[in-house]
Amino acid sequence: MIGRLNHVAIAVLDMDEALKVYRDTLGGIASEKVAQPDHGVSTVFIELPNTKIELLEPLGENSPISKFLERNTQGGIHHICYEVDDILAARDQLVANGARILGDGEPKIGAHGKPVLFLHPKDFLGTLTELEQA
Amino acid sequence: MIGRLNHVAIAVLDMDEALKVYRDTLGGIASEKVAQPDHGVSTVFIELPNTKIELLEPLGENSPISKFLERNTQGGIHHICYEVDDILAARDQLVANGARILGDGEPKIGAHGKPVLFLHPKDFLGTLTELEQA
């Protein structure tokens, strides 16, 4: 079912500080910062040769990463995202196996403009896991 | 400096349960389980088209992932590992930038038989970050 690792998302308190680490210190190639008000975050992608790191900064008052950053005051890895060929078939197979999908179970359009779902961390080794239509 | 994402490591309490998730439910291709007594863990690699997931189970009494699993009782993402062309040059450049290396600062031979270093999570966005000689 799972294909490529699309990205690893790291939640950060301050994008400028995060860019000092990932662009200036680690030498990563950083995209422009993009506000994604529908998702309550601003994003920067660090392009690696085989995948990417998604830096997430809270945007607005009800950012979905705010609670995570209250628990992880230095930031931290927020989720990982795998590509799947058919997100509805993947969802149905996971649900048949007893796994829980977050929200209403219907794919939403994610930060890359493709349908995504988030799987319940308790069913996936304590790891918030995103599936994205390839 | 950083090149490919070599792997994402997920610490797990029980490898059999982890394989149910990653091999049976998510359909990943799993390696054999290998005991790594020098590292205090047993490992299974899930091979993805572009990178791999390293599942880590505690081995022995002083496993370096035991404390993490006390805090994260469902398991969770433990670290990420980037490849670098020259690990000593990378280390020296990071130290010159004020970053801290864990341990004595000398590369050790990691689970893949290559020199590795771990960087202090407080200097890398709350994320335990491994560098591996490519």
Side-chain angles (χ1 to χ4, degrees):
Chain A
M1 174 192 290
I2 53 173
R4 295 177 73 259
L5 180 73
N6 185 277
H7 64 269
V8 177
I10 300 178
V12 305
L13 290 162
D14 182 287
M15 192 64 84
D16 290 335
E17 292 299 316
L19 284 169
K20 284 184 192 167
V21 173
Y22 262 86
R23 184 189 58 202
D24 302 344
T25 301
L26 291 174
I29 300 166
S31 73
E32 292 297 304
K33 179 175 168 179
V34 176
Q36 312 243 11
D38 288 351
H39 297 282
V41 292
S42 294
T43 53
V44 165
F45 289 97
I46 305 294
E47 293 288 342
L48 303 174
N50 60 334
T51 187
K52 51 188 181 282
I53 304 298
E54 181 183 51
L55 302 176
L56 300 174
E57 182 190 55
L59 177 68
E61 291 185 5
N62 293 305
S63 173
I65 64 172
S66 294
K67 282 189 182 169
F68 178 88
L69 287 168
E70 286 171 15
R71 292 194 306 272
N72 300 274
T73 55
Q74 318 252 338
I77 297 176
H78 184 262
H79 67 266
I80 52 178
C81 175
Y82 299 112
E83 296 177 5
V84 293
D85 286 335
D86 182 334
I87 199 164
L88 292 176
R91 174 197 64 184
D92 293 346
Q93 187 179 330
L94 291 170
V95 170
N97 278 327
R100 287 166 286 181
I101 313 295
L102 296 186
D104 64 5
E106 294 304 316
K108 302 286 186 293
I109 299 302
H112 311 143
K114 294 185 174 181
V116 303
L117 286 171
F118 281 91
L119 311 181
H120 200 304
K122 288 192 177 175
D123 296 334
F124 293 91
L125 310 179
T127 301
L128 181 59
T129 304
E130 182 180 13
L131 299 182
E132 178 174 306
Q133 177 90 36
Chain B
M1 172 189 294
I2 54 172
R4 295 178 72 257
L5 179 73
N6 184 277
H7 63 268
V8 177
I10 300 179
V12 306
L13 289 163
D14 182 286
M15 192 64 85
D16 290 335
E17 291 300 315
L19 284 170
K20 282 184 192 168
V21 172
Y22 262 86
R23 184 189 56 202
D24 303 344
T25 301
L26 290 174
I29 299 165
S31 72
E32 291 297 304
K33 178 176 168 178
V34 176
Q36 313 242 13
D38 290 353
H39 297 281
V41 293
S42 295
T43 54
V44 164
F45 288 98
I46 305 295
E47 294 288 343
L48 303 175
N50 59 333
T51 187
K52 51 189 181 282
I53 304 299
E54 181 183 53
L55 302 175
L56 301 173
E57 182 191 55
L59 177 68
E61 291 185 4
N62 294 304
S63 173
I65 64 172
S66 294
K67 281 187 182 169
F68 179 88
L69 287 168
E70 285 170 16
R71 292 194 305 274
N72 300 273
T73 55
Q74 319 252 339
I77 297 176
H78 184 261
H79 68 266
I80 52 178
C81 175
Y82 299 112
E83 297 176 7
V84 293
D85 286 334
D86 182 335
I87 198 164
L88 293 176
R91 174 197 63 184
D92 293 347
Q93 188 179 331
L94 291 171
V95 170
N97 278 327
R100 289 166 284 182
I101 313 294
L102 295 186
D104 64 5
E106 294 304 317
K108 302 285 186 294
I109 299 301
H112 310 143
K114 295 186 175 180
V116 302
L117 286 171
F118 281 91
L119 312 180
H120 200 305
K122 288 191 179 176
D123 295 335
F124 293 90
L125 310 179
T127 300
L128 180 59
T129 304
E130 182 180 14
L131 298 182
E132 179 174 305
Q133 177 90 36

Coordinates of all heavy atoms in Angstrom, one line a residue, chain A residues 8-12 22 55 68 74-78, chain B residues 77-82 118-130:
Chain A
V8 N 8.7 14.5 5.7 CA 8.7 14.4 7.2 C 8.4 15.9 7.6 O 9.0 16.8 7.1 CB 10.0 14.0 7.8 CG1 10.0 14.1 9.3 CG2 10.4 12.6 7.3
A9 N 7.4 16.0 8.5 CA 7.0 17.4 8.9 C 7.5 17.7 10.3 O 7.3 16.9 11.2 CB 5.4 17.5 8.9
I10 N 8.2 18.8 10.4 CA 8.7 19.3 11.7 C 8.0 20.5 12.1 O 8.0 21.5 11.3 CB 10.2 19.5 11.6 CG1 11.0 18.2 11.2 CG2 10.8 20.0 12.9 CD1 12.5 18.4 11.0
A11 N 7.3 20.5 13.2 CA 6.7 21.7 13.8 C 7.7 22.6 14.4 O 8.6 22.1 15.2 CB 5.6 21.3 14.8
V12 N 7.6 23.9 14.1 CA 8.6 24.9 14.7 C 7.9 26.1 15.2 O 6.8 26.4 14.8 CB 9.6 25.3 13.6 CG1 10.3 24.1 12.9 CG2 9.0 26.2 12.5
Y22 N 18.0 24.8 9.2 CA 17.9 23.9 8.1 C 18.6 24.5 6.8 O 19.1 23.7 6.0 CB 16.5 23.4 7.8 CG 16.3 22.1 8.4 CD1 15.9 21.9 9.7 CD2 16.6 20.9 7.7 CE1 15.8 20.7 10.3 CE2 16.5 19.7 8.3 CZ 16.1 19.5 9.6 OH 16.0 18.3 10.1
L55 N 8.6 22.2 7.0 CA 8.7 22.9 8.2 C 7.3 23.6 8.4 O 6.8 24.3 7.5 CB 9.8 24.0 8.2 CG 11.2 23.4 8.0 CD1 12.2 24.5 7.8 CD2 11.6 22.5 9.1
F68 N 0.6 20.7 20.0 CA 1.9 19.9 19.9 C 3.1 20.8 20.3 O 3.9 20.3 21.1 CB 2.1 19.5 18.4 CG 3.4 18.8 18.1 CD1 3.4 17.4 18.3 CD2 4.5 19.5 17.7 CE1 4.6 16.7 18.0 CE2 5.7 18.8 17.5 CZ 5.8 17.4 17.6
Q74 N 10.5 23.0 22.0 CA 11.6 23.2 21.1 C 11.2 23.0 19.7 O 12.1 23.1 18.8 CB 12.8 22.3 21.4 CG 13.1 22.1 22.9 CD 14.3 22.8 23.3 OE1 15.2 23.1 22.5 NE2 14.4 23.2 24.6
G75 N 10.0 22.5 19.5 CA 9.6 21.9 18.2 C 9.8 20.4 18.2 O 10.2 19.9 19.2
G76 N 9.5 19.8 17.0 CA 9.7 18.4 16.9 C 9.1 17.8 15.7 O 8.3 18.5 15.0
I77 N 9.3 16.5 15.5 CA 8.7 15.9 14.3 C 7.2 15.7 14.6 O 6.8 15.1 15.6 CB 9.4 14.5 14.0 CG1 10.8 14.7 13.7 CG2 8.6 13.8 12.9 CD1 11.6 13.4 13.4
H78 N 6.4 16.3 13.7 CA 5.0 16.3 13.9 C 4.3 15.1 13.2 O 3.4 14.5 13.7 CB 4.4 17.6 13.4 CG 2.9 17.8 13.6 ND1 2.0 17.6 12.6 CD2 2.3 18.2 14.7 CE1 0.8 17.8 13.1 NE2 0.9 18.2 14.4
Chain B
I77 N 8.3 8.6 16.7 CA 9.5 8.9 15.9 C 10.6 9.3 16.8 O 10.5 10.2 17.5 CB 9.2 10.0 14.8 CG1 8.1 9.5 13.8 CG2 10.5 10.3 14.0 CD1 7.7 10.6 12.9
H78 N 11.7 8.5 16.7 CA 12.8 8.7 17.6 C 13.9 9.6 17.0 O 14.4 10.5 17.7 CB 13.4 7.3 17.9 CG 14.5 7.4 18.9 ND1 15.9 7.3 18.5 CD2 14.5 7.4 20.2 CE1 16.6 7.4 19.6 NE2 15.9 7.4 20.6
H79 N 14.2 9.5 15.7 CA 15.2 10.3 15.1 C 15.1 10.3 13.6 O 14.4 9.4 13.0 CB 16.6 10.0 15.5 CG 17.1 8.7 15.0 ND1 17.1 7.5 15.8 CD2 17.8 8.3 13.9 CE1 17.6 6.5 15.1 NE2 18.0 7.0 14.0
I80 N 15.7 11.2 12.9 CA 15.8 11.2 11.4 C 17.3 11.2 11.1 O 18.1 11.7 11.9 CB 15.1 12.3 10.7 CG1 15.5 13.7 11.3 CG2 13.6 12.1 10.8 CD1 14.8 14.8 10.6
C81 N 17.7 10.6 10.0 CA 19.1 10.5 9.6 C 19.3 11.0 8.2 O 18.7 10.5 7.3 CB 19.5 9.0 9.7 SG 21.2 8.7 9.1
Y82 N 20.3 11.9 8.1 CA 20.7 12.5 6.8 C 22.0 11.9 6.4 O 22.9 11.8 7.3 CB 20.7 14.0 6.8 CG 19.4 14.7 7.2 CD1 19.3 15.3 8.4 CD2 18.4 14.6 6.3 CE1 18.1 15.9 8.7 CE2 17.2 15.2 6.6 CZ 17.0 15.9 7.8 OH 15.8 16.5 8.1
F118 N 25.3 11.7 16.2 CA 24.0 12.3 16.6 C 24.2 13.7 17.1 O 25.1 14.0 17.8 CB 23.4 11.4 17.7 CG 22.8 10.1 17.2 CD1 23.5 9.0 17.2 CD2 21.5 10.1 16.8 CE1 23.0 7.8 16.7 CE2 20.9 8.9 16.3 CZ 21.7 7.8 16.3
L119 N 23.3 14.5 16.6 CA 23.3 16.0 16.9 C 22.3 16.3 18.0 O 21.3 15.6 18.1 CB 23.0 16.8 15.7 CG 23.8 16.4 14.4 CD1 23.3 17.3 13.2 CD2 25.2 16.5 14.6
H120 N 22.6 17.3 18.8 CA 21.8 17.6 20.0 C 20.4 18.1 19.5 O 20.3 19.1 18.8 CB 22.5 18.6 20.8 CG 21.9 18.6 22.2 ND1 20.6 18.8 22.5 CD2 22.6 18.5 23.4 CE1 20.4 18.8 23.9 NE2 21.6 18.5 24.4
P121 N 19.3 17.4 20.0 CA 18.0 17.9 19.6 C 17.7 19.3 19.9 O 17.0 20.0 19.1 CB 17.0 17.0 20.4 CG 17.8 16.0 21.1 CD 19.3 16.3 20.9
K122 N 18.3 19.9 20.9 CA 18.0 21.3 21.3 C 18.5 22.2 20.2 O 18.1 23.4 20.1 CB 18.5 21.6 22.6 CG 17.7 21.0 23.8 CD 18.1 21.6 25.1 CE 17.3 20.9 26.2 NZ 17.7 21.4 27.6
D123 N 19.5 21.8 19.5 CA 20.1 22.7 18.4 C 19.5 22.4 17.1 O 19.8 23.1 16.1 CB 21.6 22.4 18.3 CG 22.3 22.9 19.6 OD1 21.8 23.7 20.3 OD2 23.4 22.3 19.8
F124 N 18.5 21.4 17.0 CA 18.0 21.0 15.7 C 16.4 20.9 15.8 O 15.9 19.8 15.5 CB 18.7 19.8 15.1 CG 20.1 20.0 14.8 CD1 21.1 19.9 15.7 CD2 20.4 20.6 13.6 CE1 22.4 20.2 15.5 CE2 21.7 20.9 13.3 CZ 22.8 20.7 14.2
L125 N 15.8 21.9 16.3 CA 14.3 22.0 16.2 C 13.7 20.9 17.0 O 12.6 20.4 16.6 CB 13.8 22.0 14.8 CG 14.5 23.0 13.8 CD1 13.8 22.9 12.5 CD2 14.3 24.4 14.3
G126 N 14.3 20.5 18.2 CA 13.7 19.5 19.0 C 13.7 18.1 18.4 O 12.9 17.2 18.8
T127 N 14.6 17.9 17.4 CA 14.6 16.7 16.6 C 15.9 16.0 16.8 O 17.0 16.6 16.4 CB 14.3 17.0 15.1 OG1 13.0 17.6 15.1 CG2 14.3 15.7 14.3
L128 N 16.0 14.8 17.3 CA 17.2 14.1 17.3 C 17.6 13.7 15.9 O 16.9 13.1 15.2 CB 17.1 12.8 18.2 CG 18.3 11.9 18.3 CD1 19.5 12.6 18.9 CD2 18.0 10.6 19.1
T129 N 18.8 14.2 15.5 CA 19.2 14.2 14.1 C 20.5 13.4 14.0 O 21.5 13.8 14.7 CB 19.4 15.6 13.6 OG1 18.1 16.3 13.8 CG2 19.7 15.6 12.1
E130 N 20.5 12.4 13.2 CA 21.7 11.6 12.9 C 22.3 12.0 11.6 O 21.6 12.2 10.6 CB 21.3 10.1 12.9 CG 22.5 9.1 12.8 CD 22.0 7.6 12.7 OE1 20.8 7.4 12.6 OE2 22.9 6.8 12.9

